[in-house]
Amino acid sequence: LSLQQDVIAGFLYAILILVVFHPVVDLIDNFNLTYKYAPLIIITVDKVEEQLAALRIARRCVPSEKPAYLLDIDTSTAAQPGSSRFVAVSCSNKSIRVYDRETLRFLREYRGHPGILSGVRFAHTCDSVVFSACSQGAVKCWDVRSAAQEPVQVFSGYPSNVFISFDVSCSDLIVCAGTEKVENDTFLVFWDARGITDCASATKEPLGVYSESHNDDITKICFHPVEPNLVVSGSTDGLVNVFDINKDNEDDALISTCNSDSSVSSLGWSGEDYKQIYCMTHDEGFCWWDMAQLDTEEPITLLHVLDVRESVRAENHSLHYLVGGLYHEKAGKLFLVGGTSTGDIHLVSCGTDGLSLVGTLCGGHSATVRSFCWSPTDESLLTGGEDAQLLLWKPGAVERSLTKKASLKISSSLQKRVRVHNTSLKSRKK
């Protein structure tokens, strides 16, 4: 009798378990089948945060004879698996320096810029082509395989244009640059970038401009990583605008306008299928929006932090500034990169419930870090700063360079421009 009771009890327990847990199992199975990173998501986020916190210096470049601030960094995409990659760095002395990606060996330098540089970008489809923009109203294209000081292509702006931001579409078909405000005019200028290596030193005129969506300096431009027709721009007017440049005119092209309530310093795309945008401001604020909610009744704001310095507290290491954002696609996680005036680098995890410190990279830079570039291929980080150092960080690495850290903070004629925020803003468009 006791055995029969045990069997019946076991059978009833089995039915109870199926009734209670079967719907949950179905949800998990459906998630695993429909979400592309589902097998990784549970195990990866913690692992990725551990890897980021474990970044250590693998290489340092040999300092230049004439040190300069390293203002922007980009890396080329390898033409073939295992082939060499390049690093391009824009400097405060108006030059572009090119290095080998793995060894940080200096290769060459281009000095054909009469004005202040506003960034560097490699072409996505050609690993030897790099773009630069400068304040003298031109975007130039260089072939890093050549030591010639003449660009292979020049994209000229209009006479009054002072370019302070630019980007290249993921298809390499369109170049876009943003201008300072001159009198009452601010422009997004567009060019056709096809055939960039066919006409040496040829000059291309603009395709056209957007002139109505910002009313102050356009400080940042970023094309969508996979959709070449989408571009986001940020300005000192506080607005972050998303455009579909396939549309016939600027009014139709403007998909959304988000208000950061401050002057935009950096921005980018994140989230599944890169349907989210984020921005940082010159007073160290952070905003994060979900464009997937534009056609719904749900709010598009995921997070708005007025001052990240107050939200992120590090033991013995305060956060002084933000540099930019880093979206880790495998983990589906957005991270912020910031730091201190003495060169420490803070890595901050973003969630809809707030920000949290992941780790601090110490012992590398001795002054403010101004630029970085994340490589998802080998999970490595390149950083550049006001100490003129270019550093390569890898998880658990042991430094192999002979050059030792020194206090290399240098003087520069380049001063950060601070503007009073313009409170006369366009209303938010949804």
Side-chain angles (χ1 to χ4, degrees), residues 221-347:
I221 295 170
C222 187
F223 275 95
H224 194 278
V226 293
E227 297 188 38
N229 57 304
L230 296 181
V231 64
V232 59
S233 61
S235 166
T236 54
D237 62 10
L239 302 183
V240 175
N241 291 326
V242 182
F243 298 95
D244 180 353
I245 61 174
N246 281 348
K247 302 297 184 181
D248 292 335
N249 56 66
E250 184 176 352
D251 285 342
D252 292 340
L254 184 60
I255 297 173
S256 175
T257 295
C258 301
N259 195 339
S260 71
D261 294 322
S262 190
S263 174
V264 175
S265 61
S266 180
L267 50 72
W269 301 84
S270 66
E272 185 183 2
D273 298 326
Y274 292 95
K275 291 184 178 179
Q276 301 167 0
I277 56 173
Y278 62 87
C279 86
M280 276 131 277
T281 64
H282 285 110
D283 53 4
E284 316 312 336
F286 172 70
C287 298
W288 191 15
W289 300 283
D290 187 359
M291 296 296 102
Q293 304 302 329
L294 281 176
D295 297 323
T296 73
E297 296 301 318
E298 297 297 318
I300 67 170
T301 300
L302 297 173
L303 186 66
H304 186 183
V305 180
L306 293 177
D307 192 338
V308 174
R309 294 168 296 186
E310 298 296 324
S311 299
V312 178
R313 297 293 185 180
E315 186 177 350
N316 300 323
H317 301 281
S318 60
L319 188 144
H320 296 161
Y321 57 85
L322 293 171
V323 186
L326 178 170
Y327 180 66
H328 198 291
E329 189 173 10
K330 287 182 181 178
K333 190 75 174 175
L334 175 63
F335 298 92
L336 304 184
V337 179
T340 70
S341 57
T342 54
D344 291 339
I345 300 171
H346 294 317
L347 303 173

Side-chain angles (χ1 to χ4, degrees), residues 3-241:
L3 179 61
Q4 289 178 337
Q5 289 176 335
D6 288 344
V7 171
I8 293 171
F11 179 72
L12 292 175
Y13 274 123
I15 293 175
L16 179 64
I17 290 170
L18 284 174
V19 169
V20 173
F21 291 105
H22 189 266
V24 178
V25 173
D26 277 347
L27 287 173
I28 294 172
D29 286 343
N30 184 60
F31 177 77
N32 285 332
L33 289 171
T34 57
Y35 192 80
K36 63 181 178 179
Y37 295 124
L40 302 171
I41 196 164
I42 296 174
I43 61 172
T44 344
V45 174
D46 288 342
K47 184 179 179 182
V48 164
E49 292 186 354
E50 290 174 4
Q51 288 179 336
L52 289 175
L55 287 171
R56 298 293 181 268
I57 299 170
R59 293 280 187 183
R60 295 179 195 258
C61 71
V62 176
S64 168
E65 293 180 0
K66 296 181 179 180
Y69 288 9
L70 308 187
L71 303 178
D72 194 24
I73 303 172
D74 198 24
T75 59
S76 66
T77 303
Q80 298 175 349
S83 61
S84 298
R85 297 168 65 193
F86 301 103
V87 177
V89 181
S90 66
C91 305
S92 59
N93 62 1
K94 304 177 184 179
S95 72
I96 296 173
R97 294 174 185 164
V98 181
Y99 301 84
D100 180 271
R101 169 65 173 74
E102 282 305 310
T103 64
L104 296 191
R105 180 173 62 89
F106 174 76
L107 299 176
R108 57 186 53 88
E109 184 174 36
Y110 300 107
R111 291 186 168 274
H113 298 89
I116 296 170
L117 288 169
S118 58
V120 286
R121 291 290 181 273
F122 273 98
H124 303 83
T125 56
C126 182
D127 66 336
S128 62
V129 171
V130 66
F131 297 83
S132 63
C134 76
S135 59
Q136 293 299 311
V139 177
K140 296 182 179 181
C141 178
W142 311 84
D143 186 341
V144 298
R145 297 168 300 183
S146 170
Q149 291 295 309
E150 289 297 320
V152 296
Q153 189 85 66
V154 176
F155 301 90
S156 64
Y158 297 104
S160 64
N161 290 163
V162 178
F163 294 139
I164 56 173
S165 58
F166 91 106
D167 200 13
V168 184
S169 68
C170 63
S171 61
D172 293 335
L173 296 181
I174 299 292
V175 172
C176 177
T179 71
E180 275 191 348
K181 184 177 182 178
V182 176
E183 295 180 352
N184 293 318
D185 296 324
T186 306
F187 300 106
L188 284 168
V189 184
F190 297 89
W191 296 268
D192 181 348
R194 289 175 294 182
I196 50 178
T197 58
D198 298 337
C199 306
S201 298
T203 299
K204 284 197 171 186
E205 302 297 324
L207 287 172
V209 302
Y210 290 166
S211 60
E212 302 296 329
S213 301
H214 287 294
N215 56 31
D216 212 333
D217 299 353
I218 299 173
T219 51
K220 211 69 179 177
I221 295 170
C222 187
F223 275 95
H224 194 278
V226 293
E227 297 188 38
N229 57 304
L230 296 181
V231 64
V232 59
S233 61
S235 166
T236 54
D237 62 10
L239 302 183
V240 175
N241 291 326

Side-chain angles (χ1 to χ4, degrees), residues 376-423:
T377 308
D378 59 356
E379 309 278 312
S380 65
L381 183 71
L382 280 163
T383 58
E386 295 184 3
D387 56 3
Q389 291 194 95
L390 177 65
L391 303 182
L392 175 63
W393 306 76
K394 292 185 176 182
V398 176
E399 187 173 353
R400 291 178 287 176
S401 301
L402 297 176
T403 306
K404 299 298 181 182
K405 178 187 175 186
S407 181
L408 296 174
K409 187 168 183 180
I410 56 175
S411 59
S412 172
S413 60
L414 184 71
Q415 300 294 325
K416 181 177 178 179
R417 290 168 291 183
V418 179
R419 289 179 171 79
V420 177
H421 175 56
N422 186 349
T423 56

